[in-house]
Amino acid sequence: MAAKIRVGIVDSGSAAAQAQVAAATAFVRGDGDGEVRRVAACDDLLGHGSLVGDIVLHCAPQAELLVAQVFRERLATTATQVAAAIDWLVGHGAAVINLSLGLREPRPVLDAACRAALGAGVVLCAASPAHGAPVYPAAFAGVLRATGDARCDRFEISALAAPHADFGAHVRPMHGTLAGAGASMACAHLSGHVARHLAEGGRSDPDALRAWLTAQARYHGQERRRR
């Protein structure tokens, strides 16, 4: 029998209909330079985090969501906010943390939070775009880098071993439209895949987990696009 597992979501919040939210809080910019305050989470005004949560719960119905809100009116945040969110999620028992976001600069505060989470045995899944410069936290060592792969259906992943991503997954949210589709939703699918595996007794140590994901992959190697 699968066990309950806590999945942290660093995003824009959660939908009121997502009854499996065990805890939620928000991280907002404070008055000082680089300061972050923790306040009560508000409604998911952007809908992005709700889409991510829907995917995780679809892939891993036994999951309990821990929601760390770092986006409010727009999809913009800081490394300090994301780092504080990761620290809070680790402290609340997250086994997997989904980071469907990407920041351009490898800020030390975010690197430190990721290293601390990984050191505590938490699996970090982060979105990585198919094109352009690396983004963070996906580009930090030890983080599972996820991107969209049009070959993948739901519950399918690809082992890419690509410069920009480790694994690919289904690109669309649960409602099936292209709204919000891309690496963010693929990341959520990978997080759900990992969460279900861990809930069923799978190993979380990095080498074993990557080997298991590779063995489960429907496709191996990068998607070849027609020109």
Side-chain angles (χ1 to χ4, degrees):
M1 180 180 293
K4 285 287 186 183
I5 186 166
R6 289 194 156 188
V7 178
I9 296 179
V10 182
D11 216 288
S12 62
S14 62
Q18 289 171 339
Q20 288 166 256
V21 175
T25 194
F27 297 87
V28 300
R29 296 184 188 187
D31 298 329
D33 184 30
E35 181 184 342
V36 172
R37 293 185 295 114
R38 186 159 70 87
V39 299
C42 67
D43 293 339
D44 183 4
L45 302 177
L46 301 174
H48 191 268
S50 298
L51 295 178
V52 167
D54 283 345
I55 290 171
V56 171
L57 292 175
H58 179 76
C59 295
Q62 59 274 76
E64 293 180 338
L65 303 184
L66 297 169
V67 177
Q69 188 177 53
V70 297
F71 304 129
R72 289 205 169 194
E73 292 81 12
R74 59 195 182 98
L75 289 171
T77 188
T78 67
T80 309
Q81 286 171 269
V82 176
I86 291 171
D87 290 343
W88 179 80
L89 291 168
V90 172
H92 280 71
V96 182
I97 296 178
N98 184 88
L99 295 137
S100 287
L101 55 88
L103 303 176
R104 294 297 178 189
E105 299 295 331
R107 302 294 185 189
V109 65
L110 182 56
D111 184 24
C114 289
R115 285 189 284 105
L118 293 168
V122 179
V123 179
L124 301 181
C125 296
S128 180
H131 305 286
V135 297
Y136 301 88
F140 287 135
V143 177
L144 293 178
R145 303 172 299 161
T147 197
D149 191 329
R151 299 172 296 180
C152 294
D153 203 345
R154 298 208 187 276
F155 295 113
E156 292 182 344
I157 61 172
S158 57
L160 300 176
H164 68 287
D166 304 303
F167 299 98
H170 190 66
V171 300
R172 300 194 184 205
M174 291 306 303
H175 53 52
T177 72
L178 288 173
S184 289
M185 299 303 131
C187 183
H189 279 94
L190 183 66
S191 292
H193 202 72
V194 170
R196 186 175 71 253
H197 173 60
L198 299 184
E200 292 172 352
R203 293 168 59 188
S204 63
D205 55 285
D207 290 343
L209 179 58
R210 286 174 183 266
W212 181 83
L213 287 168
T214 300
Q216 299 302 305
R218 176 70 176 81
Y219 304 98
H220 293 260
Q222 297 185 60
E223 181 182 0
R224 294 186 179 182
R225 301 179 184 271
R226 293 182 180 178
R227 295 185 181 275

